[in-house]
């Protein structure tokens, strides 16, 4: 074998790997190429990429204005219509807190079996329809009922309209009603007894997706990146109030709201697990619409604003703080479905599913890699449980 | 593993799309062999070999659209690596780094001499001892298969210089290797 052939064979059978920094430098150079190309494109088409942001901002402002307007409108309607709307909404707890009872046309003593009960006929009650609502509040001194009843079912000694009993403040209510004279047991009455402000704790478990090019590529089978379903938790406080027959307002403050995105990707010659863990403190303002007859089902919609408190990138178990790579604030839209259930007169349990959609690009970028080259926003699907306590 | 995952066609198309993952697959596939080539040109200077490799792969990715798919991809990459190495070494002037000493005619030239009994790394060590100009000429002839005419054009030297430098380099290497083996 000639020396040059031996040399060639030796060179081509090299077993020494180049240092990893070589590949990193190659990547840096290619990133700069991308930046340069993107900058050129951006300069050629000024403003092109900003339009969606303007549209999103405009939509957000409109939604906010509409939500606030609707809340104010229905709050006003509620105040002006008085107890009539309350009675029709089957929310007797509100009676004790209303400024007037002008909407109730007739107040009647109940059957002889319950001499202290009171029947109130609604202003526009359907003849023959009997509907009894127990007034279950510590502010009432006796079992009392708000009902619609036909004139024929009323006792002969029906008092004149406006003869409404005066209630005391210290007696416990009775949980029972009566069937005679069209009265029903309390357990048979559907109510949504949460007219006042309630506050409580909220826990959510969320499937979070970081929407950017990498994640989307990772959902394709042909890629060396595999985007994995990722889950995070939220923990915080919730407060809410019914402002009209079918409308609620709700505020949620999450002390911690975890956003996660994990991958399995080919790095440094092998497949490794990587992931981005971001923690937010989040405030959500929502409006709810109660639907169906019992009004326990509610569609919610609104907005959220989040403040980033921590961001870490994990590669094969090694964590690196990347807080400076991301915007401190994020905001977006919330929509969902919620089912509310009164555990008793003081506690309300609500379960729901919600979707959160971020409107901002959370990637901050830098001098070498501008933010618009890696547009990133969050989409998350939450399952939540909250326990509320009636304040007044 | 990568061969099972992707064909060469898929890797090339991925690199054209600037798919970073497939760029990495291409890099991992050829980096080790090309690093050996770079070490052949750079001699003892490992940092220079790494710079060569880095520059060469950047050129590969930037120009992969121009790869005509007529020859083997490895050959195309190899040519880029060699050109990059020459460009980097040329800056240090090939002319000033040629072998000046005359090689005695008495040294035998047994082409069929068996060197494989020697440790593999010895040949690399001895090539690294060659002056830079002579090393480039030796590499271009031995590794790239260039003729002396092509080498002369590439390095802007005469064909005679290329021939004599290659011959001197070859004699010196044999002598040094014999000294090593005692």
């Amino acid at each position: 074998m000639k020396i040059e052939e031996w040399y060639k064979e030796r060179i081509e059978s090299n077993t020494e790997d180049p240092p990893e920094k070589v590949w990193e430098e190659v990547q840096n150079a290619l990133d700069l190429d991308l930046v340069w190309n993107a900058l050129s494109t951006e300069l050629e088409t000024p403003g092109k990429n900003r339009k969606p942001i303007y549209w999103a901002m405009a939509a957000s402002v409109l939604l906010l204005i509409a939500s606030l307007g609707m809340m104010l409108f229905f709050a006003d309607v509620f105040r002006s219509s008085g107890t009539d709307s309350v009675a029709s909404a089957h929310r007797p707890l509100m009676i004790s807190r209303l400024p007037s009872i002008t909407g109730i046309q007739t107040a009647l003593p109940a059957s002889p079996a319950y001499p202290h009960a009171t029947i109130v006929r609604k202003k526009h009650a359907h003849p023959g329809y009997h509907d009894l609502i127990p007034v279950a509040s510590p502010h009432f001194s006796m079992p009392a009922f708000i009902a619609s009843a036909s004139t024929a079912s009323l006792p002969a000694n029906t008092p004149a309209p406006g003869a409404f009993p005066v209630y005391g403040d210290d007696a416990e209510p009775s949980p029972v009603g009566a069937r005679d004279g069209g009265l029903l047991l309390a357990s048979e009455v559907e109510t949504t007894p949460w007219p006042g402000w309630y506050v409580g704790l909220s826990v959510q478990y969320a499937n979070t997706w970081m929407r950017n090019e990498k994640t989307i590529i990772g959902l394709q089978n042909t890629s060396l990146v595999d985007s994995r379903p990722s889950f995070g938790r939220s923990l915080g406080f919730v407060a809410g109030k019914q402002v009209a027959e079918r409308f609620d307002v709700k505020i949620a403050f999450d002390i911690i709201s975890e956003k996660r995105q994990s991958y399995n990707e080919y790095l440094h010659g092998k497949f490794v697990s990587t992931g981005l863990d971001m923690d937010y403190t989040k405030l959500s303002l929502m409006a709810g619409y109660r639907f169906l007859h019992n009004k326990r089902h509610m569609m919610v919609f609104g907005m959220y604003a989040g403040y980033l408190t921590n961001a870490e990138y994990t590669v094969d178990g090694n964590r690196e703080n990347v807080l400076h790579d991301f915007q401190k604030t994020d905001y977006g839209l919330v929509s969902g479905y919620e089912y509310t259930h009164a555990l008793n007169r003081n506690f309300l349990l609500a379960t729901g599913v919600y979707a959160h959609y971020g409107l901002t690009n959370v990637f901050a970028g830098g001098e070498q890699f501008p933010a618009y080259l890696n547009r990133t926003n969050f989409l998350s699907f939450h399952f939540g449980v909250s326990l509320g306590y009636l304040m007044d | 593993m990568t061969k099972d995952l992707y064909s060469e066609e898929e890797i090339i198309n991925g690199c054209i799309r600037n798919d970073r993952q497939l760029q990495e697959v291409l890099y991992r596939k050829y980096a080790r062999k090309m690093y050996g080539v770079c070490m052949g040109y750079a001699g003892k200077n490992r940092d220079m070999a790494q710079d060569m490799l880095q520059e060469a792969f950047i050129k590969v990715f930037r120009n992969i659209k121009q790869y005509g798919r007529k020859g083997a991809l490895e050959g195309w990459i190899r040519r880029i690596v060699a050109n990059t190495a020459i460009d980097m070494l040329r800056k240090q002037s090939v002319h000033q780094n040629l072998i000046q000493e005359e090689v005695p005619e008495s040294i035998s030239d047994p082409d069929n001499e068996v060197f494989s009994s020697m440790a593999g790394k010895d040949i690399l060590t001895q090539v690294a001892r060659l002056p830079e100009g002579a090393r480039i000429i030796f590499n271009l002839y031995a590794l790239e298969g260039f003729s002396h005419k092509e080498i002369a054009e590439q390095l802007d030297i005469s064909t005679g210089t290329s021939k004599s430098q290659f011959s001197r380099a070859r004699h010196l290497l044999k002598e040094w290797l014999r000294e090593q083996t005692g």
Side-chain angles (χ1 to χ4, degrees):
Chain A
M1 183 185 283
K2 291 181 179 179
I3 193 167
E4 56 268 27
E5 289 171 358
W6 177 44
Y7 174 65
K8 184 179 181 182
E9 192 178 275
R10 171 67 187 85
I11 286 287
E12 291 182 345
S13 60
N14 173 50
T15 54
E16 183 180 341
D17 281 317
E20 203 54 42
K21 69 174 184 181
V22 175
W23 169 237
E24 287 167 8
E25 290 297 327
V26 171
Q27 287 189 91
N28 289 340
L30 296 174
D31 285 342
L32 284 173
D33 287 353
L34 284 175
V35 172
W36 177 254
N37 292 336
L39 278 174
S40 304
T41 310
E42 183 79 0
L43 290 171
E44 286 167 8
T45 54
K48 182 184 172 185
N49 291 325
R50 296 188 183 91
K51 284 181 182 174
I53 296 174
Y54 291 144
W55 280 113
M57 288 172 67
S60 306
V61 170
L62 279 176
L63 185 64
L64 184 64
I65 292 169
S67 304
L68 290 173
M70 203 181 304
M71 284 187 285
L72 291 171
F73 172 76
F74 283 105
D76 192 50
V77 167
F78 169 68
R79 277 194 298 272
S80 62
S81 61
T83 17
D84 191 42
S85 63
V86 174
S88 63
H90 295 185
R91 288 176 298 165
L93 278 178
M94 300 181 83
I95 292 290
S96 65
R97 302 175 179 93
L98 289 172
S100 70
I101 53 170
T102 54
I104 295 178
Q105 193 178 55
T106 309
L108 307 166
S111 69
Y114 299 93
H116 299 297
T118 299
I119 298 172
V120 179
R121 185 163 64 87
K122 284 198 301 180
K123 195 173 183 178
H124 304 294
H126 188 278
Y129 175 69
H130 304 278
D131 192 8
L132 177 67
I133 310 297
V135 179
S137 165
H139 297 287
F140 293 102
S141 60
M142 64 189 76
F145 306 89
I146 297 174
S148 61
S150 66
T151 308
S153 69
L154 299 176
N157 58 345
T158 301
F164 203 75
V166 177
Y167 302 115
D169 290 319
D170 52 0
E172 283 295 317
S174 166
V176 298
R179 278 200 174 278
D180 52 338
L183 304 181
L184 304 172
L185 291 174
S187 60
E188 295 178 277
V189 180
E190 291 284 355
T191 61
T192 53
W194 295 96
W197 280 97
Y198 64 88
V199 295
L201 295 172
S202 165
V203 178
Q204 293 192 358
Y205 193 61
N207 171 215
T208 60
W209 292 93
M210 178 179 258
R211 293 184 67 253
N212 57 18
E213 193 179 348
K214 181 178 178 179
T215 305
I216 291 166
I217 287 173
L219 294 172
Q220 299 165 5
N221 290 333
T222 54
S223 170
L224 280 177
V225 181
D226 180 20
S227 301
R228 290 172 161 179
S230 312
F231 298 90
R233 295 163 300 174
S234 297
L235 181 66
F237 302 102
V238 64
K241 180 179 170 60
Q242 274 186 293
V243 292
E245 181 183 346
R246 287 184 181 271
F247 286 91
D248 282 38
V249 290
K250 191 173 177 181
I251 299 167
F253 177 70
D254 292 325
I255 300 167
I256 184 166
S257 176
E258 297 174 342
K259 303 284 188 185
R260 303 282 184 260
Q261 182 60 59
S262 56
Y263 306 95
N264 189 35
E265 59 183 311
Y266 186 74
L267 282 178
H268 310 312
K270 61 179 181 177
F271 279 95
V272 294
S273 293
T274 62
L276 193 62
D277 298 346
M278 298 172 74
D279 296 336
Y280 282 88
T281 296
K282 201 154 81 175
L283 183 69
S284 305
L285 177 63
M286 291 169 278
Y289 174 76
R290 294 183 180 273
F291 61 99
L292 296 185
H293 173 68
N294 62 17
K295 303 179 187 68
R296 286 177 175 171
H297 304 270
M298 185 162 69
M299 298 301 297
V300 295
F301 57 94
M303 295 188 68
Y304 74 82
Y307 183 81
L308 183 65
T309 57
N310 189 36
E312 288 186 340
Y313 184 58
T314 308
V315 179
D316 207 14
N318 300 312
R319 301 180 81 84
E320 180 190 359
N321 191 300
V322 289
L323 190 61
H324 57 279
D325 287 342
F326 293 91
Q327 300 283 0
K328 287 287 185 190
T329 55
D330 178 29
Y331 70 89
L333 304 176
V334 182
S335 64
Y337 161 81
E338 200 171 278
Y339 178 80
T340 55
H341 177 70
L343 296 175
N344 56 34
R345 66 188 183 190
N346 288 115
F347 287 98
L348 174 72
L349 185 69
T351 57
V353 287
Y354 316 87
H356 291 213
Y357 184 79
L359 295 174
T360 55
N361 177 11
V362 297
F363 183 65
E367 288 182 3
Q368 288 197 342
F369 205 79
Y372 64 82
L373 284 180
N374 184 30
R375 292 187 189 285
T376 303
N377 67 335
F378 281 107
L379 172 63
S380 53
F381 303 98
H382 299 239
F383 171 75
V385 178
S386 63
L387 182 66
Y389 178 78
L390 185 65
M391 292 293 285
D392 54 358
Chain B
M1 179 180 63
T2 53
K3 283 180 183 174
D4 296 334
L5 282 173
Y6 295 100
S7 67
E8 191 170 279
E9 189 73 14
E10 287 171 322
I11 293 171
I12 294 166
N13 289 335
C15 291
I16 290 172
R17 292 195 310 269
N18 280 319
D19 184 325
R20 183 54 50 82
Q21 305 294 331
L22 287 166
Q23 285 173 335
E24 185 173 0
V25 170
L26 178 75
Y27 174 83
R28 303 283 172 198
K29 190 174 181 181
Y30 295 109
R32 183 185 289 175
K33 187 180 275 188
M34 297 306 152
Y35 187 46
V37 174
C38 290
M39 285 194 289
Y41 283 99
K44 296 172 185 173
N45 193 336
R46 288 292 172 94
D47 288 341
M48 181 178 277
Q50 290 160 19
D51 288 346
M52 284 175 183
L53 187 70
Q54 178 185 318
E55 282 300 310
F57 268 100
I58 290 168
K59 286 178 186 172
V60 165
F61 292 128
R62 282 177 180 164
N63 297 288
I64 198 156
K65 284 179 188 171
Q66 295 166 22
Y67 168 58
R69 307 182 196 212
K70 289 173 185 171
L73 178 63
E74 184 180 335
W76 183 74
I77 295 171
R78 176 79 164 263
R79 184 59 65 93
I80 290 174
V81 170
N83 287 337
T84 305
I86 292 164
D87 283 345
M88 291 182 76
L89 293 169
R90 190 186 278 157
K91 291 172 187 170
Q92 298 179 23
S93 180
V94 172
H95 296 279
Q96 293 171 16
N97 293 287
L98 297 174
I99 302 168
Q100 303 298 331
E101 60 187 283
E102 289 295 324
V103 176
E105 291 298 323
S106 59
I107 292 179
S108 63
D109 187 16
D111 277 348
N112 295 322
E113 196 169 346
V114 176
F115 293 98
S116 55
S117 59
M118 301 173 189
K121 67 177 181 182
D122 285 341
I123 183 70
L124 296 182
T125 309
Q126 304 312 326
V127 171
R129 288 174 63 186
L130 291 171
E132 218 154 71
R135 194 167 65 239
I136 293 173
I137 291 165
F138 184 79
N139 274 309
L140 288 175
Y141 189 92
L143 297 181
E144 315 306 332
F146 280 23
S147 67
H148 288 297
K149 189 182 175 188
E150 288 171 323
I151 294 170
E153 287 171 359
Q154 183 89 20
L155 300 179
D156 198 21
I157 57 177
S158 69
T159 309
T161 304
S162 175
K163 280 182 181 174
S164 64
Q165 286 296 311
F166 177 75
S167 178
R168 290 173 187 179
R170 203 178 183 196
H171 281 295
L172 281 174
L173 287 172
K174 286 177 181 174
E175 192 170 296
W176 290 338
L177 285 167
R178 282 197 190 91
E179 287 170 7
Q180 284 288 311
T181 53

